Each structure stands twice: as structure tokens, then as C-alpha cells.
Amino acid sequence: MIKLILVDDDQINSKIFSKRLAKRGYETEVFHSGSEFLDFFESKGEQGKFIIILDIVMPKMDGMAVLKAIREQYSPMEAPVIMLSANEDTEKVVECLNNGASDYLTKPANIDIAVARINTQQELINSHTGKIKKKQLETINSMVTTFNHEINNPLTIALGTLRRDFSKIDEKRVKVAVDALERIAMIVKKIERVTKSDQVEEETYVAGTKMIKIK
Amino acid sequence: METKKTQYKYINDGKILFEFEEDLDIFEELVEDYQARFHLMTNEIKSGIQNKSSEEVRIAAHTLKGVVANFYSDKLTQSAFQLENSSHEENWSDLQEYYDQFLKDNDIVLKEVITFINEQKSKSSEVS
């Protein structure tokens, strides 16, 4: 089950909410200010590992400012944020949703509604992760096809050279064959590397766009 | 879910039991935490009024409103809401009045909340 991060200056509600979520099987961590949470989040940098439940009204740095800071680096799929609001905060909720909040809960949060919304975010993360894995596989398949093609050229050279009458092969031709075989060996090693799943990762291409990178 | 009010005048006991899934321990802990932090929270409002800092009053009243909402008492929630909402107007004498009213409402509602907890406890001890 995914970890939940609660960011709320209200020490009583956050403690009780955290305990009730824990009773439903969730691991939770509570932060009582936006800046305290952002320090943790930026140092941790583990997007996709938790769902953030963020209070809108907080002193100094409010929920909206924290949300904007998160969205500068992470998409809603990488760092889902469920806003916590008072019933009458409709305008603020809309503003947060327009700025990348994933969902919202009204205070005091009903535990069943909270769990349902957390589960929705969890399912979206799972679906996104599945799509990324599929893209990674597609990328690996394309690379294998390219490598197959790349192998074919030096293989033709090596075979062509070695199929000649050996008495007619001079040192220069042997070097051509060795170079071609070494090239094949190098490509085979590359294939071996990229087919290992931990050699594929996502990297920011431009802000908000990620590319699949093969190490 | 429809919840019916019983003998309590200011709190919706049915709603408390429903929302807290009849887990009285958690509710009791919330009430104890509230009592322990009450002076700290209300002092923030008091100091905000004295310093004429509407932001200080607004944030503290908002937090207070969030906590008392767990008692499902329209009276107390409304009282805290009035305090929060009036902080924008910066009418300091009105704010002082609303603050005093909140303290009075809190006394009444908290008494009911504690009676409710004790009643629930005696009910559960009768069952066991």
C-alpha cells in the first residue's frame, strides 16, 4: 500500500486523521508546515512513492504555494496531491484543482470518502506506471530491432572475409574481420545491458515532459 | 446516512458515532487533545485581536473551526466560523465579542461532548 503524507498545521486533526488512516492499513507521515514538508520532499525526491494530503489554509506557506512548488517538478501522476479544505473554501478548491491538485477532501474528512479518493489516486499511479513499463518495453524492442540491423553489416563483412581462400587472406583482411567481430561483440553487450530492466529510467527532457533513457 | 438527534441539544451524537465508526477511543483522544491545546489555540486568537493582526486571527480561528467540526455542533462550528469570517473586516470590538461568545459556546458544547463520552463508556461497560 502506498505511503500517505499529511501536511496540516492543525496538530489535533492531523494526528487523529493519521491514526484513522493507519487503522485502515496506511503508513502515514505528518508534517505541520509547508516548508518542513518541502524540505523533506526535495531531499527525498521519490516521486510516485506517496500520496500527499495537503491542507489549504496554513500559516506562512499555504497549501496553494506548496502545491505550486510540487508541480514545478512533478506531475500529478508522480506526486498526487489531495487538498484538504473547509466546506466553504469552494473558490480555493477550484484554484487548487486548476493548479494541478489531483482531488480534494472537506474537513472533517469522512474516512470512507478519504480512502476511496486515496484508492483512486493509487489506481491512477498504477495505471501510469503500467503505461511507462509498456513504453520501456516498446523502447527496448525498437532498440533490439536497430541492433539486429547493426549486427548484420559487420557480420556480412566478417563472414565475407573468412569465407575467402585462407591462403589469400592477408593481415589487412584479418584486421577487417576482427574489427567487424569486435563491433558485433560490442553490440551484443549493449543488447544484454538494455534488456536488464534496471537499466531503463525516466529523465526530464523539457519541463513537464519525460523521456525514457537507456543507461 | 441519516442520523437522528437524541437527548443532546448542541451536538449531533449520531453523526459523531457514524463518522468515528463508533470508535470512542479515537474520539476521546481528540477531545483530550483539544482540551490540552485549547488555551494555546485560543491564546493565538486573543493575541491576534490584541495585536490587531487579522491574519493571525483568521488562521487560528480556521484551525479551531476545523477541530470543533469533529463535535458536529452547529452552534460551536458557527461560532468559530463567525470568528474566522469576521477577521477580514478588522472590526476589533466585534471580534472581541465573537471571541468571548466562542468561549461561552465552547463551555456549553464541551460539557455535552464529555457527557456523551461518559454515557457511551457506561453503555459499553454495561454490554461487556
Side-chain angles (χ1 to χ4, degrees), chain A residues 188-199 215:
Chain A
V188 168
K189 270 187 188 164
K190 267 192 189 175
I191 293 170
E192 201 185 336
R193 269 207 337 256
V194 298
T195 48
K196 285 181 184 164
S197 61
D198 62 349
Q199 294 297 311
K215 288 179 190 171

Side-chain angles (χ1 to χ4, degrees), chain A residues 13 20 23-24 88, chain B residues 19 21 23 29 65 70:
Chain A
N13 265 330
R20 297 188 70 196
K23 279 184 88 174
R24 296 288 184 108
E88 67 280 4
Chain B
E19 289 295 339
E21 302 167 291
D23 185 344
E29 190 177 341
K65 183 187 71 184
N70 291 292

Side-chain angles (χ1 to χ4, degrees), chain A residues 1 12 44 46 80 89 93 97 112 117 154 157-158 185 189 191:
Chain A
M1 211 179 261
I12 299 172
K44 205 86 174 165
E46 287 180 332
D89 284 345
V93 168
L97 291 170
D112 291 321
R117 293 192 167 170
I157 294 168
K189 270 187 188 164
I191 293 170

